[in-house]
Amino acid sequence: MTYRIQFVCLGNICRSPTAEGVMRGLVTQAGADIEVESAGTSGWHNGKLPDARSMAEAKRRGYDLSSQRSSQVSQADFDRFDLIIGMDHSNMANLRAIAPCGAKAEMKMLLDYLPEQPLREVPDPYYEDGFDQVFDLIEAACRAVLADVTAKE
Ligand code: 4NP
């Protein structure tokens, strides 16, 4: 059965679209039966393309984010997805605040998949920059997510 993963950040224009694009690429390469989407907790950028800096970094690494549009996470997502992965503690708090009782989705923080990585949260690059470091973290963690999910199937 298809396994569904949603990546979540604040704006759904930097970190989670990058995770969606990378994970889709890895899933296609692996031929895994996994669907991948992303959303933001805020809805501030609904309908917008990913940030130009995220798209440029992704393009440099061979990933295309240009078909993605920002959307806001909804309560229905907790039953549509098997796994919802946030980027930082604030995302997780926002997700827990709207999660319906008895929701199907498991909730994880992305860098929990990289226990040896000293950073525990994916830094928000929107104001700080560092899109290349953020991409490295997300790519490494997505490889670990894929290994974990496929090992369970
Ligand atoms: P993201 O980054 O959560 O990785 O998409 C942000 C994008 C926009 C804003 C903050 C973070 N903002 O304040 O508009």
Side-chain angles (χ1 to χ4, degrees):
M1 212 166 67
T2 304
Y3 191 85
R4 293 188 171 81
I5 303 174
Q6 184 185 48
F7 292 100
V8 171
C9 61
L10 175 60
N12 191 214
I13 56 170
C14 298
R15 293 166 293 174
S16 61
T18 298
E20 178 183 331
V22 168
M23 194 70 185
R24 281 180 183 236
L26 296 177
V27 162
T28 301
Q29 268 176 26
D33 187 10
I34 299 174
E35 282 184 10
V36 186
E37 291 182 30
S38 66
T41 58
S42 69
W44 294 334
H45 299 276
N46 279 353
K48 292 210 196 126
L49 278 165
D51 188 286
R53 297 165 295 175
S54 294
M55 292 214 289
E57 189 60 37
K59 193 171 177 187
R60 210 167 65 76
R61 317 272 195 128
Y63 297 91
D64 180 11
L65 309 186
S66 67
S67 65
Q68 296 189 42
R69 297 295 180 274
S70 180
S71 65
Q72 185 172 21
V73 68
S74 73
Q75 288 200 314
D77 290 337
F78 290 83
D79 281 315
R80 277 208 309 129
F81 293 97
D82 299 288
L83 177 61
I84 297 180
I85 302 179
M87 300 291 141
D88 60 31
H89 288 299
S90 167
N91 301 154
M92 300 312 291
N94 288 328
L95 285 169
R96 280 193 294 271
I98 62 159
C101 284
K104 173 177 94 172
E106 189 182 354
M107 280 184 276
K108 293 265 200 180
M109 197 157 70
L110 185 60
L111 295 187
D112 288 350
Y113 289 89
L114 292 182
E116 74 289 357
Q117 160 61 241
L119 281 178
R120 304 310 324 133
E121 305 181 283
V122 180
D124 184 346
Y126 186 68
Y127 294 112
E128 304 292 324
D129 231 334
F131 282 81
D132 54 344
Q133 186 215 6
V134 163
F135 196 100
D136 285 343
L137 278 172
I138 288 175
E139 192 173 42
C142 283
R143 288 187 192 284
V145 172
L146 181 62
D148 191 69
V149 168
T150 51
K152 281 183 193 155
E153 271 181 341

